[in-house]
Amino acid sequence: MKNQTSHGSPRHNAPIDAAPPFIRVLSADNHTIFRAALRALFDTTPDMTIVGEAGNGSEALKHARSTAAEVMLLATSLPDTPGADLLLHLGRHCPGLPCVVLCQNCEPATVMRALKAGAYGYVSKEADPQVLFTAIRKAATGRRYIDPALLDTLRFDEEGEVNGPEQLLSRREYQVLKLFAEGHSPTRIASLLNLSVKTVSTHKTRVLQKTGLSTTADLVRYAFRHKLVA
């Protein structure tokens, strides 16, 4: 059985090069079998263990407030709370608890939202276990870590923030934006993408909301600025 030690302060306040001797992890995922697999996996590591589990967002927030832990391991989507929303709640109510997000389908837009919402790490569920352990160890000392397999899908600005419409929009929203910028009508876009005109309009509305723009002309200028069209 692992020898747990008591920590009087949040682990992420430790010196940046310090290796935490023992990391207590909260696991939040709605799949019971996956949580059991994580427990078995963590039993193979000498420096970390799972001390609490949650199957939904409400449970995750409750455990975060009541359980002494250094890191939370969080699924991208829980039954009652979107991952980004839960990250924001945790940041407000449990600012001393860094979160590492585990994703199944790691779309750039989803990664971006999680990082913007305060995630310390982002790892694919298909990653090697050592990648996950590295992310947790770095998060426990206040450092951020992204699964190397995901880095090629992301673009960063000069301040190191994720940038660009590819990260902000879903794949379909990105397609709709590009086609509008190329001068296609909603009817033509619906035909090209095999969608209804109403669905195209819905995607356009979401693009406007996410980009903070107001009109189709704004979208066209945005697309040219980001070199989506020649």
Side-chain angles (χ1 to χ4, degrees), residues 145-204:
Y145 182 85
I146 300 176
D147 184 341
L150 304 179
L151 284 174
D152 288 343
T153 70
L154 304 176
R155 280 174 32 199
F156 297 85
D157 62 20
E158 293 178 355
E159 284 73 41
E161 295 292 333
V162 183
N163 191 27
E166 301 97 320
Q167 320 327 321
L168 188 65
L169 308 176
S170 71
R171 180 178 63 86
R172 186 64 83 190
E173 290 164 352
Y174 180 84
Q175 291 173 329
V176 168
L177 167 61
K178 192 172 185 298
L179 289 170
F180 267 114
E182 290 173 352
H184 297 289
S185 68
T187 301
R188 177 60 177 161
I189 294 173
S191 176
L192 290 170
L193 299 180
N194 195 28
L195 301 172
S196 70
V197 174
K198 182 178 179 180
T199 299
V200 170
S201 296
T202 298
H203 284 308
K204 178 185 175 183

Side-chain angles (χ1 to χ4, degrees), residues 25-28 51-54 56-72 85-99:
V25 180
L26 288 173
S27 172
V51 294
E53 296 182 4
N56 58 52
S58 298
E59 289 179 0
L61 189 57
K62 177 181 176 181
H63 284 303
R65 288 168 165 169
S66 62
T67 304
E70 282 74 32
V71 177
M72 173 170 277
D85 289 350
L86 182 55
L87 284 166
L88 292 172
H89 285 306
L90 288 166
R92 286 194 295 267
H93 299 290
C94 307
L97 181 65
C99 294

Side-chain angles (χ1 to χ4, degrees), residues 22 38 42 68 76 82 102 105 113 136 152 167 186 192 206 216:
F22 200 83
L38 280 178
F42 275 67
T76 50
L102 268 176
N105 299 308
R113 283 193 289 271
I136 291 172
D152 288 343
Q167 320 327 321
L192 290 170
R206 289 174 179 168
T216 301

